[in-house]
Amino acid sequence: LALQQYLVSTGYRADVKVDQIGSSKKMTSFVIKDPSQDPEKVIQTLPIDSQGQLVINYYGPQQTLLSVSAKELFSQSPDIQVYERAVSNSKEVVIKSELKPKSEFFKDKNVILGATAMALYDLRNTPIDANYPGPEIHQTVLNNLLNQQYFSRPIKEKFYLPVILFFYGLFFSLLLFSEGALNSAIILAFFTIA
């Protein structure tokens, strides 16, 4: 949905490469191009993972990005209440709201309409939150596309992660071996609970 909205609002098109691997098909590249130029100009190449999926760069927990309630959107008032999560040091969720003129707020904006009520079952499990509203996922993807701010892993992660895990495992194995059975059980219980 976010990708469709991005392509429609910009006039770009997607060039998708799908490879046949055994009995299944897998997307191997996703390039956005501007067809109004001759030759077509590559606007951006989306970073897709080994499963052919875009890895989303989440900006934070629910309501980190601007949102508006449907009641406010469809009201006759010329102003609209805009909600956004405020930065807070406490564990409490603090939502700040600001009154803005509707015409100013929606001017030159992409809008995603969606319901976030729990009863609609459009909540998804994400790395940020166990119940993340579907429309906010689309909003995040659209923001990633427009700002070209994608999730990226360190270049050498595939090399460093196994090495770090190996030495971490070796360290704990030696530590537990040298402590004896009872102390090892206590150390394992502590790290399992923590």
Side-chain angles (χ1 to χ4, degrees):
L1 178 65
L3 182 59
Q4 288 172 341
Q5 182 163 353
Y6 172 75
L7 292 172
V8 168
S9 69
T10 58
Y12 298 149
R13 72 173 191 85
D15 187 11
V16 180
K17 183 178 177 191
V18 179
D19 289 341
Q20 182 83 29
I21 300 171
S23 62
S24 64
K25 293 180 180 180
K26 183 176 121 182
M27 185 176 5
T28 55
S29 75
F30 198 108
V31 180
I32 296 175
K33 296 182 177 183
D34 185 353
S36 68
Q37 298 190 13
D38 192 29
E40 287 185 330
K41 179 183 174 189
V42 173
I43 303 302
Q44 58 181 305
T45 301
L46 300 186
I48 54 176
D49 65 9
S50 61
Q51 302 298 313
Q53 299 174 345
L54 176 68
V55 182
I56 301 171
N57 182 19
Y58 289 94
Y59 298 106
Q62 290 182 38
Q63 294 185 320
T64 299
L65 300 171
L66 297 177
S67 64
V68 174
S69 73
K71 178 183 172 188
E72 291 279 334
L73 181 64
F74 297 116
S75 74
Q76 296 299 316
S77 171
D79 296 324
I80 194 162
Q81 200 74 32
V82 179
Y83 302 96
E84 181 179 24
R85 182 182 288 262
V87 177
S88 172
N89 293 334
S90 70
K91 290 190 177 193
E92 296 293 319
V93 176
V94 178
I95 304 297
K96 71 176 183 178
S97 64
E98 186 177 348
L99 196 62
K100 295 185 178 187
K102 273 186 188 178
S103 59
E104 178 186 311
F105 180 71
F106 288 110
K107 185 177 181 180
D108 299 326
K109 298 270 184 7
N110 287 296
V111 176
I112 294 180
L113 295 175
T116 58
M118 288 186 83
L120 297 175
Y121 302 109
D122 192 15
L123 299 173
R124 303 288 179 246
N125 188 2
T126 66
I128 301 295
D129 198 338
N131 294 310
Y132 204 87
E136 288 192 46
I137 294 173
H138 292 291
Q139 186 181 15
T140 302
V141 170
L142 184 58
N143 247 13
N144 287 179
L145 290 167
L146 292 171
N147 300 318
Q148 295 188 16
Q149 295 175 331
Y150 304 110
F151 180 81
S152 63
R153 293 186 167 91
I155 295 170
K156 303 279 186 179
E157 179 190 42
K158 288 183 179 180
F159 170 74
Y160 288 121
L161 189 59
V163 171
I164 290 168
L165 290 175
F166 172 76
F167 284 111
Y168 183 77
L170 183 64
F171 169 75
F172 265 100
S173 297
L174 294 173
L175 175 70
L176 295 176
F177 178 74
S178 66
E179 291 299 318
L182 182 58
N183 288 341
S184 295
I186 293 169
I187 292 171
L188 283 175
F190 173 76
F191 280 105
T192 302
I193 293 170

